[in-house]
Amino acid sequence: MARIYALVPWEMGEVVLYRQTEGTAGRLEGALLSLSGQPALERMLALDASARPESDPLLDDLARRLRACLQGEAVAFPLEELALERCGAFQQQVLRAEHAIPRGSLSTYGRIAAHIGRPGAARAVGTALGRNPFPILIPCHRAVRSDGSLGGYAGGLPMKRALLQLEGITLDEAGRAPLERLVY
């Protein structure tokens, strides 16, 4: 099986969308963010040194929509396009709940845990989101701590702030998100 990818540049660092040419039923296998000191393309080649950039209807369309999203447009990324079966049952529940949070809204790790029937599992929710194989497409940046502080983000807090700002969410002087935007 070959793995192909599309590179989406962004001011906060590139994003790589990738999939296998066989085995994921034509769905996205994952997205990689640039991390401090490690560009997404470098991460892709560390995952699979034989991966290659290739024009592909799914990747091209997802890359086009992701570019629009990263310019502040409201864009949908249906779950049917993502190979969610790569995740365990609990993580799938968390990712589905996170995906359902509307653009410009937020939730807390605890509220998400309660929403999926696992009250008290806020830390596990945070861990599941931290391992989200589809960052931005499944908007794990919309989860914050119960006091509105940002918590963590795989791409770093500056990237989380930038993604929230693209959705019209302004943090207060203490760096906290507006709790009136919470769902669940």
Side-chain angles (χ1 to χ4, degrees):
M1 282 184 283
R3 188 172 275 139
I4 58 175
Y5 66 86
L7 184 69
V8 178
W10 182 37
E11 65 189 46
M12 297 297 296
E14 63 203 17
V15 179
V16 170
L17 304 174
Y18 65 95
R19 75 177 195 87
Q20 294 182 8
T21 54
E22 301 173 20
T24 55
R27 289 173 289 131
L28 189 71
E29 184 182 356
L32 297 171
L33 302 174
S34 292
L35 305 178
S36 59
Q38 192 176 29
L41 181 55
E42 185 179 305
R43 296 182 65 216
M44 176 77 252
L45 296 175
L47 175 70
D48 183 349
S50 67
R52 64 185 191 278
E54 188 171 303
S55 183
D56 168 89
L58 173 68
L59 289 179
D60 293 347
D61 183 53
L62 283 169
R64 178 190 57 76
R65 286 186 279 147
L66 182 57
R67 277 191 293 279
C69 174
L70 295 173
Q71 292 173 357
E73 294 180 35
V75 177
F77 297 101
L79 290 176
E80 296 76 31
E81 297 174 328
L82 312 177
L84 276 178
E85 70 276 3
R86 295 185 57 223
C87 306
F90 176 77
Q91 187 179 28
Q92 284 186 42
Q93 285 184 300
V94 171
L95 294 177
R96 287 178 189 285
E98 188 71 20
H99 185 266
I101 298 170
R103 184 178 192 277
S105 297
L106 303 163
S107 194
T108 68
Y109 303 107
R111 284 177 178 230
I112 293 167
H115 178 73
I116 64 170
R118 300 283 299 272
R123 284 183 184 258
V125 165
T127 299
L129 292 174
R131 294 182 181 149
N132 175 8
F134 310 102
I136 304 174
L137 290 81
I138 295 181
C140 50
H141 57 274
R142 294 179 187 157
V144 297
R145 291 182 176 154
S146 60
D147 67 354
S149 61
L150 295 186
Y153 190 68
L157 291 182
M159 187 180 291
K160 187 171 186 172
R161 281 187 209 95
L163 290 166
L164 292 173
Q165 189 172 31
L166 283 173
E167 296 187 16
I169 296 173
T170 304
L171 305 179
D172 68 16
E173 292 174 5
R176 288 189 166 77
L179 296 179
E180 65 271 8
R181 296 220 183 175
L182 294 179
V183 298
Y184 297 138

